[in-house]
Amino acid sequence: MDNLKKLTAEQIEENIKSVEIWSLKDEKLYREFKFSTFIQAFSFMTSVAIQAEKLNHHPEWFNVYNTVRVYLTTHEAGGITDKDFKLAQLINEIYQV
């Protein structure tokens, strides 16, 4: 599968422009999301979990009260792949709702 091929640093830099606000942290795609309440943060995580399961691609994430930190990488490929950018875009769309 092409979407499991680890991207080069140049490909990552080019693709990161397509996913607003995401950055590189610890060699993973990273973004922090803030909400007004814990319930909103948890609802967001639930919505993301449903889509992640459909893609069979699951984020590394951390939640403290109203903040959700998300890291994306494809462990099978040993780094960032197209699959991570696809999930990042879906997460952005969920956050916009």
Side-chain angles (χ1 to χ4, degrees):
M1 273 189 219
D2 284 345
N3 63 356
L4 288 182
K5 182 179 176 195
K6 181 179 173 181
L7 299 176
T8 65
E10 294 80 20
Q11 290 170 315
I12 292 167
E13 287 299 321
E14 184 62 32
N15 283 314
I16 205 161
K17 298 171 189 174
S18 69
V19 287
E20 296 176 20
I21 306 174
W22 289 80
S23 63
L24 290 177
K25 186 172 183 177
D26 301 326
E27 298 183 22
K28 300 172 184 175
L29 291 181
Y30 170 79
R31 184 168 174 191
E32 181 177 288
F33 298 87
K34 293 274 191 177
F35 300 88
S36 298
T37 67
F38 172 74
I39 294 297
Q40 289 175 343
F42 197 84
S43 294
F44 166 76
M45 292 177 73
T46 301
S47 295
V48 170
I50 292 166
Q51 295 305 314
E53 187 64 20
K54 288 178 183 177
L55 290 175
N56 192 30
H57 191 51
H58 307 94
E60 295 176 19
W61 53 10
F62 305 90
N63 168 242
V64 177
Y65 183 60
N66 68 336
T67 303
V68 178
R69 291 180 186 89
V70 180
Y71 295 85
L72 300 176
T73 189
T74 304
H75 296 285
E76 299 92 344
I80 297 171
T81 67
D82 287 334
K83 203 170 187 179
D84 298 300
F85 283 103
K86 182 174 183 177
L87 184 54
Q89 186 60 45
L90 282 170
I91 291 170
N92 282 352
E93 291 170 12
I94 290 166
Y95 187 67
Q96 301 283 327
V97 173

